[in-house]
Amino acid sequence: MRIQTILAHPLPQSFAAAVHHTAVSALRASGHEVMETDLYAEGFAPALTVAERASYFSPDYDVSAVAGLVERLRWSEGLVFCYPHWWFDQPAILKGYIDRVWGPGIAFRHDREGGRILPLLTGLRTVAVLTSFGSPWWLTELYMRNPARRILRKGVLAACAPQASFRYLAHYDMDRSTDLSRKRFLDRVDGAMRRLG
């Protein structure tokens, strides 16, 4: 399968980067064709441009500033997102990636009559999130109800790629993590990526 991994963390020595490296190694070992995208290393600017916003509802959404990332998205049969949660949400750079790259004519098209959007990422077969939270599980899942996961799964993916399977692995309580807890999570990532498909 053609799988794009997307890393959203500014530090190359971060735990998110270690998760990303583990995922890429396991995917390649399982025979997948992997394309790596590191949003910070590539200097991705998350804010919509004036041209992008002005053309958002026109027949020709302006992809000139993100054309390479659009091609990578269209190439992908699988996506693996690697990022930490900050304030119970994805990093701004990743939100901007979705805002700018998953645009009209790419990830969806506007249905003028029904007032909804119609999916265009019909070739996307699977999406996985490999993430972490500083907070413990109970605070993230019971109190906050993990808003970013719900938005990605029930908002973005349901609208743009409803056929794609969805996997989600999180390391909770990172602020009090240990070498052992991090190793166990990396082992879970390795196993999950070897079974992806």
Side-chain angles (χ1 to χ4, degrees):
M1 189 183 331
R2 296 188 310 271
I3 299 177
Q4 180 184 183
T5 60
I6 300 173
L7 174 61
H9 196 291
L11 303 177
Q13 72 276 20
S14 67
F15 184 65
V19 168
H20 180 250
H21 175 74
T22 300
V24 168
S25 295
L27 290 166
R28 287 193 171 129
S30 297
H32 297 291
E33 184 179 354
V34 179
M35 180 182 297
E36 298 178 57
T37 297
D38 182 335
L39 295 174
Y40 279 98
E42 294 182 23
F44 178 73
L48 276 172
T49 66
V50 172
E52 288 163 354
R53 185 59 188 137
S55 64
Y56 207 81
F57 290 96
S58 73
D60 297 310
Y61 174 62
D62 183 352
V63 300
S64 58
V66 292
L69 289 169
V70 167
E71 288 309 308
R72 289 184 219 175
L73 178 60
R74 288 179 169 151
W75 172 90
S76 303
E77 295 173 307
L79 293 174
V80 177
F81 292 102
C82 303
Y83 62 93
H85 276 80
W86 293 330
W87 292 105
F88 302 99
D89 206 351
Q90 57 195 252
I93 200 167
L94 186 56
K95 174 66 166 69
Y97 164 82
I98 292 170
D99 287 346
R100 296 184 67 202
V101 178
W102 291 50
I106 302 157
F108 66 92
R109 72 177 174 84
H110 295 287
D111 175 11
R112 299 283 184 201
E113 310 232 341
R116 58 194 171 109
I117 61 176
L118 302 172
L120 290 181
L121 294 179
T122 56
L124 189 59
R125 295 167 40 193
T126 189
V127 174
V129 171
L130 309 174
T131 190
S132 61
F133 291 86
S135 300
W137 178 89
W138 67 267
L139 183 61
T140 302
E141 299 295 341
L142 299 179
Y143 181 71
M144 292 299 296
R145 296 180 49 230
N146 202 337
R149 177 176 58 196
R150 283 185 288 117
I151 290 167
L152 180 61
R153 187 171 148 221
K154 295 187 176 187
V156 177
L157 292 177
C160 301
Q163 75 289 340
S165 66
F166 183 72
R167 291 167 179 81
Y168 189 90
L169 285 178
H171 185 306
Y172 299 94
D173 215 7
M174 274 297 295
D175 293 351
R176 284 161 293 281
S177 71
T178 64
D179 289 344
L180 181 59
S181 71
R182 292 188 297 274
K183 182 186 181 311
R184 284 180 176 159
F185 185 74
L186 292 176
D187 289 345
R188 286 180 63 206
V189 166
D190 181 79
M193 294 300 98
R194 288 177 187 273
R195 295 186 300 273
L196 193 70

